[in-house]
Amino acid sequence: MTATTLTPTRDLRLTALIGGLGILLLAVLSGWAHFGVLEALVTDGDAARTATDVLAASTRFRFGVVALVLTALLDIVVGWALWAFFAPVRPTAAAVGGALRVVYGVVFLAAIAQLVAALDVLTSARTVTTQVQLEALHRIENFHVVWDAGLAIFGLHLLITGYLVARATYAPRLLGWLLALAGVGYLVDSGVALLAPGAVPELAIVTFVGEVWLFVWLLAKGRHVTLDSEKVDR
């Protein structure tokens, strides 16, 4: 039988665009929220200074929380887009991989709720006592604990996505391996953070290359892929 080359449907092209733009936007929002807000306003182990800085820049802190919420929602959208885009490769694996990213987005929203609670503790108190400061810092620390647990789920998502990319006839195999490596980085960092509180996980900041390449590839090439009907797994 002669192999037939199929051009991607409009839906497939659309999911590549949504996935690529979603990853790009969430990277920008997350980067600003973490480095421009949390890292700037929160001092580890110093409840008094953290409370002072957060209250002095409460509007900035709120915008940071909004940016993180948008990031979590974009993760959910990207999870759907990647499921739809890689479903022709392995339908079940694509569904599991997409679902894991959706679950990660929900867990991240739960983590963000701790930041909302921290700000509420500070702004609702008539007097910002030491106890109030400690409670606010505890809430912020809980954000990191829940988020670190969620990153293990995100790491599993990247492992499955890497597998799908490596199996796809329409994607670079090296990209798949790099995504899997990024997944391992998140899994290791999450494990270190949960098992050794106070440690600073750093592997993911080295293994993130695959994530960057993924959104660039989706936007530049993913919207123009062709599928060989005899090579696509059913």
Side-chain angles (χ1 to χ4, degrees):
M1 182 176 68
T2 304
T4 303
T5 299
L6 304 176
T7 55
T9 63
R10 178 171 298 180
D11 288 342
L12 188 58
R13 292 195 295 267
L14 182 61
T15 56
L17 178 63
I18 292 174
L21 286 177
I23 296 171
L24 175 60
L25 287 174
L26 71 84
V28 172
L29 289 170
S30 178
W32 175 75
H34 284 291
F35 298 106
V37 179
L38 294 182
E39 291 290 332
L41 301 179
V42 177
T43 303
D44 292 339
D46 193 334
R49 180 173 178 179
T50 296
T52 299
D53 290 345
V54 169
L55 285 172
S58 59
T59 299
R60 180 180 170 190
F61 191 86
R62 287 189 177 90
F63 276 116
V65 169
V66 171
L68 290 177
V69 169
L70 291 176
T71 297
L73 295 177
L74 283 169
D75 270 309
I76 293 172
V77 172
V78 169
W80 165 81
L82 293 180
W83 160 71
F85 187 76
F86 289 110
V89 181
R90 282 284 192 272
T92 301
V96 172
L100 284 171
R101 186 146 190 164
V102 171
V103 171
Y104 164 72
V106 174
V107 172
F108 194 29
L109 285 172
I112 297 166
Q114 293 296 314
L115 295 178
V116 176
L119 184 61
D120 182 63
V121 166
L122 291 173
T123 57
S124 62
R126 291 186 177 181
T127 303
V128 182
T129 62
T130 299
Q131 184 61 37
V132 169
Q133 294 170 348
L134 290 172
E135 175 64 19
L137 184 60
H138 177 66
R139 294 285 188 172
I140 294 172
E141 290 171 345
N142 282 345
F143 159 76
H144 288 289
V145 171
V146 177
W147 183 40
D148 285 335
L151 287 177
I153 300 172
F154 186 72
L156 291 174
H157 156 75
L158 287 180
L159 279 175
I160 294 176
T161 303
Y163 163 76
L164 292 167
V165 172
R167 290 283 303 177
T169 60
Y170 50 87
R173 179 163 295 184
L174 178 59
L175 172 57
W177 286 108
L178 289 176
L179 284 171
L181 182 62
V184 171
Y186 282 109
L187 285 170
V188 171
D189 283 356
S190 179
V192 169
L194 295 175
L195 297 176
V200 181
E202 296 181 342
L203 189 56
I205 65 175
V206 178
T207 60
F208 72 97
V209 177
E211 296 178 80
V212 177
W213 188 2
L214 177 61
F215 82 73
V216 172
W217 181 81
L218 285 170
L219 292 175
K221 302 291 185 181
R223 295 182 297 120
H224 307 290
V225 299
T226 58
L227 305 179
D228 187 326
S229 61
E230 289 194 341
K231 294 182 179 179
V232 173
D233 297 315
R234 300 296 180 185

